[in-house]
Amino acid sequence: MGKRGTAAPRKRARRPSGRGRGRSRGPLSRIAPVTLALGILSLGAGAALAHWHADEQPVAAVAPAAPQAPRADRSPAAPAPPETDARPAAPPAAPSPSRPGRAAPPRSVPLTGAGTFTTARATGAEVGTGTLRRYRVQVEDGTGIPAADAAHEIERILAHPRGWAAHGRGRFQLVTEDADFVIRIATPKTADRLCLAQGLDTRGEYNCETTEGVVVNLKRWLLGSPTFTGTPAEYRHLIINHEIGHEIGLRSHMTCPGPGEPAPVMMQQIKGLRGCVSNAWPHDEDGRYITGPIVP
């Protein structure tokens, strides 16, 4: 028993299996993790390189399985609006005042405003013949309409070839001070208040003429009228021509002269055309005054 006990360790030391699990396997076991680590690092570097390429430009050798949405941080700039209406995918262009019959896009109209007004710092030349009537233009604060822009638009309306001034019915001049009357553009609530002071119920919809001048409802100025065939810019001609008609002495309203005839500007066209065709000018293209029966 004692000899076997001493011989057994020497026998195990010479076994090949002992070498495989001992010193001869040591270097391999150290190389294997290093090799594995290098492989992982190579894969990681390849993935990082691919990611870097993907951020810079598409990699032609690797086609995606399905189209991918652009990255939010590299999305292209919004396309410019189309120059013509020929592109079906583009939104419709806003109507131009030079295109009759096209409706304007709806705009948000504030029902009430500050109740204070800004006077247009603008002056113009005299137009027309006869008694001079100087006017100034005011716009209620908070409407978003520059007073000077509104004043120059009204100036152009009064100088229109089919307007009052062009046919000897009045002489007008845009001024900043010392005006004979004022044209105010006001929100519906403010317009109602100013008109009601003269005993006129405009119901948040209509314009009126007062002892101080003309009150234009902002809603009508921006949106036009559902009874009027034409743009809001053309309807503004009717607003100004109708109210200035009162200013030059035409106190009575008119009605439709007959089916298919142009409606007189002194007709309250917003309340119905009664068979007439909507019209924004006092005179026709031949210079004839468009008239109709007086409303009793």
Side-chain angles (χ1 to χ4, degrees):
M1 293 272 309
K3 289 182 183 179
R4 282 194 214 116
T6 58
R10 287 196 301 267
K11 219 169 176 186
R12 280 195 300 269
R14 290 193 300 268
R15 283 181 182 174
S17 60
R19 283 195 305 268
R21 288 190 299 267
R23 288 180 224 169
S24 58
R25 285 292 301 268
L28 290 177
S29 61
R30 286 193 299 270
I31 292 172
V34 172
T35 305
L36 181 60
L38 288 174
I40 292 172
L41 287 175
S42 299
L43 289 174
L49 181 61
H51 178 73
W52 179 80
H53 276 297
D55 277 353
E56 294 299 321
Q57 59 184 4
V59 180
V62 181
Q68 303 206 358
R71 289 166 46 120
D73 59 343
R74 293 183 182 268
S75 58
E83 296 181 356
T84 67
D85 293 334
R87 296 171 64 179
S96 166
S98 62
R99 299 178 182 176
R102 295 184 63 180
R107 288 184 60 177
S108 176
V109 180
L111 292 179
T112 188
T116 57
F117 290 81
T118 294
T119 300
R121 311 302 295 180
T123 57
E126 296 179 12
V127 293
T129 58
T131 303
L132 176 63
R133 292 177 173 87
R134 295 166 299 181
Y135 65 94
R136 61 178 174 168
V137 174
Q138 296 181 333
V139 177
E140 186 173 2
D141 297 323
T143 60
I145 299 176
D149 290 356
H152 288 305
E153 184 167 3
I154 292 170
E155 184 182 28
R156 290 190 296 270
I157 290 172
L158 290 175
H160 192 278
R162 295 174 62 184
W164 296 117
H167 297 276
R169 299 298 294 264
R171 186 159 53 110
F172 307 97
Q173 183 183 17
L174 171 65
V175 297
T176 301
E177 299 176 344
D178 300 324
D180 298 303
F181 66 96
V182 60
I183 300 174
R184 290 190 177 103
I185 300 175
T187 58
K189 293 288 187 183
T190 302
D192 283 351
R193 177 173 55 80
L194 294 173
C195 295
L196 190 59
Q198 305 292 315
L200 303 170
D201 184 6
T202 46
R203 304 176 187 178
E205 296 290 336
Y206 309 132
N207 315 294
C208 76
E209 188 247 351
T210 71
T211 55
E212 293 184 343
V214 173
V215 177
V216 177
N217 188 313
L218 178 68
K219 184 176 181 180
R220 301 277 71 88
W221 184 265
L222 292 178
L223 303 183
S225 165
T227 64
F228 186 81
T229 302
T231 64
E234 289 175 330
Y235 187 72
R236 291 169 202 155
H237 284 256
L238 177 56
I239 293 172
I240 298 303
N241 286 325
H242 182 96
E243 301 304 336
I244 294 299
H246 290 314
E247 281 290 327
I248 63 177
L250 303 174
R251 298 298 174 186
S252 299
H253 287 124
M254 297 179 182
T255 189
C256 178
E261 295 292 324
V265 292
M266 297 315 298
M267 179 179 176
Q268 293 178 297
Q269 296 182 36
I270 193 173
K271 294 184 178 181
L273 295 173
R274 301 181 182 274
C276 271
V277 178
S278 59
N279 165 58
W281 296 277
H283 301 86
D284 65 17
E285 292 180 355
D286 295 324
R288 289 188 296 264
Y289 179 51
I290 300 171
T291 186
I294 298 296
V295 175

